[in-house]
Amino acid sequence: MRSKKVTKLNELASTAISGNDISSSCLYVSALAITYSGQYAWISLLMVGVVLFLFRKIYGEVVGALPLNGGAYNALLNTTSKSIASLAAALTLLSYMATAVISANEAIHYAHVLVHSLPIIVTTICLLGVFMMLSIIGIGESSKVAIFIFIFHLISLTILSSFTIYFLFQEGFDNLLANNAMEVKGGSISVALFFGFSAAMLGISGFESSANFVEEQEKGVFPKTLRNMWIVVTVFNPLMAFLALAVLPMSGIEQNQEALLSHLGYVSGGNWLSTLISVDAALVLSGAVLTSFVGVSGLVERMTLDRVLPPFLLKKNKRGSSYRISIAFFLLCVSILMITQGKLSAVAGVYTIAFLSVMALFGIGNILLKLRRRNLPRPEKSSWLALFIAIASVIAAIIGNAILNPAYLGVFFEYFIPTILLIAIMLNRTLLLKSLLSLIKYFLTPISNFLRYSNIMIKRMIHRINSQEYVYFTKNDNIASLNKVMLYIVKNEHTRKLKIVSVYADKTKPTKQFLADIDALDREYPNIKITYLREEGTFGPEMIRELSEKWKVPVNFMFIASPGDRFPYRIEELGGVRLII
């Protein structure tokens, strides 16, 4: 069994996987910020760095308290209902889909500059296929590729910065002075900064990715990935915008928006530096595709375990990878690429709104964590002021992007509505099956064997869904707390069986009032069979695993109330037990 133990990712590997996405933003966000805020673009990008600094604490608190895969979905699942958590999941999935398609397509466009014979669409599909295979092979092998790309990218940016600064001191600051003397975009500095900030917020896409594969990381690595990503974005994004404004005239920036850094390399260092940046762009954008595959695998696997998505996605290969998730994600990306024929401006709208909405929902998850799980141990805490500033900043960025690109909202809903409908069907599948059963009964005739057969099959399907048993661990909760458990299960889960389990380290017995309360609940909820069990031993990870195997109940179908500061175990040690009250 020891040979099958999964190797956890260290700081460099974890930072590289999520960092390739966020660090690739300097290739486009500098030009984007300059377009809307002109000479103040570097200030807009510094403002984004400040907001990201606030989100470091927000993510650190939430994931530190609930260190399970799923990001915003996991945060909301453990603080509110499954339906609200699924909303965050749908937005995250759309964000990953858009990131993968756009990054792959842009990577091939950069490669096309070097090799003009490359067919864009076909090569983009091949690139998506390569990273699908890497994710199927396993996250350990994927991390090696990510590390190489990440280090190459940082070296390339450092070389570009060094040569550009040297060029600047050699040639003088005339362009910087001329650009600063130009008329302010939007008519005022505040308007320029607002729209520049709104556009530049796209430069932190990928910051949420580390939270979606936190279970694959070594202990203590997650907050370091947040710190490292923040440093990269806060240093290089404003620096690249400032250097572009210092070296290039505004007309040169506007004419080379699609490959601004490559053009900056050409001006400051010549063809070799321009080629280096183009190669780097193709590689790091490819790395962002890998980030999407890794992130979506962690998220979808968690959702599937929680019965939000179909269970066939959980099938694993010999390496322990859920290969069907990677294949399904690849097919989705290819279908979008084919439908749009590589014209991805519409997909950019999905990317913008979805990503920023996920950031806002993560902040809301932090608020709920503070209010509903205040006793849950966590390594760090964000202040209320920082939390509200961060959420308000993201909402402002959403509004700003909606004003800049009104069509983005329409395109976003074209993708969002089908996604959320699929999840809604899964969350309400027993109700829908019962409705279908009622229709079959209504139209059933003595000669209709097909309808009779369908009737039997649907009943079996409903029974199979509802036969999944759930477990709630408690000692002597009062009836009000137990009723909250029942209300949560009725609202969020498909089941007719619940075990309420008390674990005692000695011969202690439950009180008569506690047993009477359980009997009262059993009468109050006749559709759910409640069984009470008393287990002797020590409640902890080992007992949870033993009972999970003994009762054939997955650990993520086991619930507890929010533990206090004296609870001897961290939440991640319990293997996925859910907090519901």
Side-chain angles (χ1 to χ4, degrees):
M1 295 298 290
R2 291 181 181 270
S3 61
K4 293 183 178 180
K5 184 178 180 180
V6 178
T7 302
K8 299 285 187 176
L9 298 174
N10 60 22
E11 180 182 347
L12 177 59
S14 301
T15 301
I17 288 174
S18 48
N20 280 328
D21 188 1
I22 196 169
S23 66
S24 68
S25 64
C26 65
L27 295 164
Y28 58 84
V29 78
S30 297
L32 201 59
I34 292 171
T35 298
Y36 294 111
S37 57
Q39 61 268 47
Y40 299 103
W42 63 276
I43 300 177
S44 297
L45 289 161
L46 278 176
M47 291 167 60
V48 171
V50 172
V51 173
L52 195 62
F53 178 80
L54 300 179
F55 269 104
R56 278 180 58 190
K57 287 281 188 181
I58 293 170
Y59 274 72
E61 179 177 0
V62 174
V63 178
L66 301 166
L68 301 170
N69 288 350
Y73 167 78
N74 178 57
L76 293 170
L77 183 67
N78 283 281
T79 54
T80 182
S81 67
K82 186 182 282 189
S83 57
I84 295 176
S86 297
L87 171 66
L91 291 166
T92 307
L93 289 173
L94 287 177
S95 176
Y96 277 132
M97 174 272 296
T99 298
V101 175
I102 292 173
S103 297
N105 192 253
E106 285 297 314
I108 298 305
H109 271 94
Y110 270 100
H112 187 263
V113 173
L114 303 172
V115 184
H116 299 293
S117 59
L118 282 178
I120 300 294
I121 300 294
V122 173
T123 315
T124 301
I125 294 173
C126 291
L127 182 64
L128 288 166
V130 167
F131 286 106
M132 176 193 71
M133 294 305 300
L134 271 176
S135 64
I136 289 173
I137 291 172
I139 194 169
E141 299 302 318
S142 301
S143 67
K144 295 175 184 177
V145 176
I147 289 171
F148 168 76
I149 293 173
F150 187 64
I151 292 175
F152 184 85
H153 181 53
L154 294 183
I155 291 173
S156 300
L157 291 180
T158 302
I159 292 172
L160 175 62
S161 303
S162 302
F163 271 84
T164 306
I165 292 170
Y166 178 78
F167 176 86
L168 181 62
F169 279 97
Q170 289 291 313
E171 299 296 326
F173 295 82
D174 292 345
N175 280 322
L176 178 63
L177 296 173
N179 288 334
N180 283 333
M182 294 182 69
E183 184 179 349
V184 179
K185 298 269 187 178
S188 71
I189 295 176
S190 58
V191 171
L193 288 176
F194 171 69
F195 286 118
F197 168 79
S198 299
M201 279 293 283
L202 293 180
I204 59 174
S205 172
F207 190 72
E208 79 288 355
S209 294
S210 185
N212 282 312
F213 62 94
V214 67
E215 292 179 51
E216 282 72 49
Q217 299 173 27
E218 292 177 355
K219 182 182 176 182
V221 162
F222 175 74
K224 294 177 182 177
T225 67
L226 300 183
R227 178 201 62 199
N228 296 340
M229 287 189 286
W230 172 73
I231 291 173
V232 169
V233 168
T234 306
V235 171
F236 281 111
N237 286 11
L239 178 62
M240 289 298 125
F242 179 81
L243 291 177
L245 288 165
V247 171
L248 304 173
M250 193 65 73
S251 58
I253 294 173
E254 293 172 351
Q255 291 169 9
N256 295 276
Q257 284 187 26
E258 292 187 358
L260 179 61
L261 296 195
S262 180
H263 179 65
L264 182 63
Y266 175 76
V267 171
S268 60
N271 280 324
W272 72 270
L273 187 52
S274 176
T275 301
L276 174 67
I277 298 303
S278 294
V279 171
D280 170 56
L283 284 174
V284 77
L285 286 166
S286 298
V289 179
L290 177 58
T291 302
S292 297
F293 272 96
V294 173
V296 86
S297 295
L299 174 61
V300 171
E301 185 167 336
R302 178 69 196 279
M303 292 172 66
T304 307
L305 287 170
D306 290 331
R307 307 175 87 190
V308 177
L309 292 175
F312 78 90
L313 291 170
L314 286 177
K315 182 73 173 178
K316 294 184 180 291
N317 59 17
K318 293 180 180 180
R319 291 178 174 266
S321 299
S322 300
Y323 64 92
R324 291 181 178 178
I325 295 175
S326 299
I327 293 172
F329 185 64
F330 167 76
L331 293 175
L332 174 64
C333 292
V334 170
S335 65
I336 291 169
L337 187 67
M338 298 303 292
I339 291 169
T340 60
Q341 286 297 301
K343 298 176 182 178
L344 300 176
S345 56
V347 181
V350 178
Y351 173 74
T352 303
I353 305 300
F355 161 67
L356 292 175
S357 298
V358 169
M359 294 287 284
L361 284 172
F362 211 102
I364 292 170
N366 194 328
I367 292 175
L368 294 172
L369 186 76
K370 290 179 181 294
L371 295 175
R372 299 182 178 181
R373 303 285 183 264
R374 60 175 62 92
N375 293 325
L376 195 64
R378 60 206 74 183
E380 58 183 332
K381 291 184 179 181
S382 62
S383 69
W384 282 102
L385 178 61
L387 182 56
F388 285 125
I389 292 174
I391 295 173
S393 299
V394 172
I395 293 173
I398 294 173
I399 294 170
N401 277 283
I403 295 171
L404 291 173
N405 302 285
Y408 278 9
L409 283 175
V411 175
F412 166 74
F413 283 111
E414 287 178 10
Y415 285 87
F416 176 71
I417 290 174
T419 305
I420 203 68
L421 278 177
L422 172 63
I423 292 176
I425 289 170
M426 286 298 298
L427 291 175
N428 298 281
R429 58 191 181 277
T430 56
L431 177 62
L432 294 172
L433 287 170
K434 287 177 182 177
S435 300
L436 181 58
L437 194 59
S438 299
L439 286 174
I440 289 175
K441 286 181 179 178
Y442 181 78
F443 291 107
L444 189 62
T445 64
I447 59 172
S448 180
N449 291 327
F450 173 74
L451 289 177
R452 289 182 185 276
Y453 177 74
S454 300
N455 192 351
I456 294 170
M457 292 300 295
I458 291 173
K459 283 183 176 179
R460 288 177 179 173
M461 193 179 299
I462 293 172
H463 175 73
R464 186 168 62 252
I465 293 171
N466 288 333
S467 64
Q468 176 61 60
E469 190 170 42
Y470 285 74
V471 174
Y472 175 67
F473 291 103
T474 182
K475 279 199 174 179
N476 286 307
D477 282 357
N478 57 40
I479 194 166
S481 297
L482 291 172
N483 191 53
K484 288 181 181 179
V485 174
M486 297 306 300
L487 289 172
Y488 179 90
I489 290 172
V490 169
K491 184 178 179 181
N492 293 278
E493 306 297 346
H494 303 292
T495 186
R496 291 188 179 277
K497 294 190 289 184
L498 172 68
K499 274 190 174 76
I500 296 180
V501 182
S502 297
V503 179
Y504 295 98
D506 50 29
K507 300 294 183 180
T508 304
K509 293 183 179 180
T511 64
K512 291 182 179 179
Q513 182 59 52
F514 176 70
L515 296 175
D517 289 344
I518 291 179
D519 288 338
L521 286 176
D522 199 20
R523 293 191 298 271
E524 184 67 24
Y525 296 92
N527 292 328
I528 298 179
K529 181 182 178 182
I530 301 175
T531 304
Y532 173 73
L533 291 175
R534 178 192 177 280
E535 292 288 329
E536 193 167 311
T538 302
F539 179 75
E542 187 175 345
M543 171 166 276
I544 289 172
R545 286 193 295 269
E546 288 176 0
L547 295 180
S548 175
E549 294 174 6
K550 177 181 176 181
W551 295 334
K552 308 298 182 186
V553 176
V555 175
N556 55 302
F557 295 160
M558 294 179 167
F559 306 145
I560 60 172
S562 181
D565 294 331
R566 295 183 179 180
F567 190 63
Y569 303 103
R570 298 188 305 274
I571 292 299
E572 67 268 30
E573 292 180 294
L574 302 183
V577 170
R578 199 185 311 170
L579 310 181
I580 60 171
I581 63 171

